[in-house]
Amino acid sequence: MMKFAKITLIAMMAFVAVFSCKSDDDIARFAELRDRGEQQVEDDAALVEFLSTHFYNYDEFDATNPESAANDTFTMTFGKIEGVNADKTPLIDQVEVRTTTYFDVEYKYYVLKLREGGGKTYTSFDQVNLTYRGQTLDLGTFDLRITEQSIPLISATQSTVRGFQLGLPEFKTAEDIIEGSNGFLQARNGGIGAIFIPSGLGYFSVPQPNIPEYSPLIFSFNVFSADFLDTDVDGLLSSMEDLDGDNDVLNDDSDGDGIPNFRDSDDDGDGTITVNEVVQKTYVVNPGDTEPVLASNELEKTRDTDDDGVTTIRTVVLTDTDGDGIPDYLDVN
Ligand SMILES: [Ca+2]
Ligand SMILES: [Ca+2]
Ligand SMILES: [Ca+2]
Ligand SMILES: [Ca+2]
């Protein structure tokens, strides 16, 4: 993974807290546990109010040529529409609305897409390398990372807040990492944007340093690169273990042992670990060569092209020895 120049920062918080409000102790601690549906109504009103009365520094972003190198170092800031800024365009005219169901509540969140990014796509289960700022609606900053951070959107032990997990994959990585004139590595044409999420897709009732409970959150960011995760190191990417394809890896547990597949190294619980029930393959494609044709039970995991144009493709074959349509790693018989 690329390392960017590091500057020592005060780490105010990491994305380690997720809905820890499961035990009676926690519920007692947060005595005023609110109804998610009612809180969402309140939060959405607050988000719409914020987006209607604030703008971002679009004067500093070259929207006529979003992919320009000049935009690579753009840092988003927000301001209130008033005084000398009274004629600014409000964010509400620039964001896109998204909906999602979470804990049985229909949530709305908002995405501001300045630049999608020219590199690869990743999923809600991969690691994103980015810079970002986290703010509450009063524009107080609770987290600021001005050098590249590697954030697994969900890992073996922790998860980012759901809104972050859903919003980030709308942006792609940089198309290239180049050495800038200052000797630092620079990301060329990476995703730039912001997400505005209700507390129900954030920390909800659990207060965090500089984040009161029930706070809608703003994250603005510049995406550099991403690493596809295989959390349980079983040869399948975490994104391949969302078997029902509902963009949630926590609800797929083939052997019912309480450990979701993406964290389970023996997915069918037959005593043979998954990595020994699938076959890994590597293809090297030289410039001008034709692409390999993958088998119907073969999935591409990664694809990397070096400076000479040589592409290395890694795949996994989901073998089905007895031909019953169930791949070996999920077949207990
Ligand atoms: Ca799922
Ligand atoms: Ca399991
Ligand atoms: Ca697994
Ligand atoms: Ca197995």
Side-chain angles (χ1 to χ4, degrees), residues 252-261 263-264 266-269:
D252 305 272
D253 179 12
S254 294
D255 60 4
D257 67 351
I259 302 168
N261 286 15
R263 290 173 175 163
D264 195 338
D266 179 8
D267 291 295
D268 56 4

Side-chain angles (χ1 to χ4, degrees), residues 265-274 277 328-331:
S265 58
D266 179 8
D267 291 295
D268 56 4
D270 67 352
T272 305
I273 55 174
T274 293
E277 297 197 272
D328 295 335
Y329 84 103
L330 295 177
D331 195 345

Side-chain angles (χ1 to χ4, degrees), residues 316-329:
V316 58
V317 183
L318 308 180
T319 52
D320 176 14
T321 307
D322 61 6
D324 67 351
I326 302 169
D328 295 335
Y329 84 103

Side-chain angles (χ1 to χ4, degrees), residues 18-31:
V18 228
F19 310 114
S20 51
C21 212
K22 292 273 167 58
S23 73
D24 291 345
D25 282 355
D26 281 349
I27 288 167
R29 200 174 135 220
F30 306 112

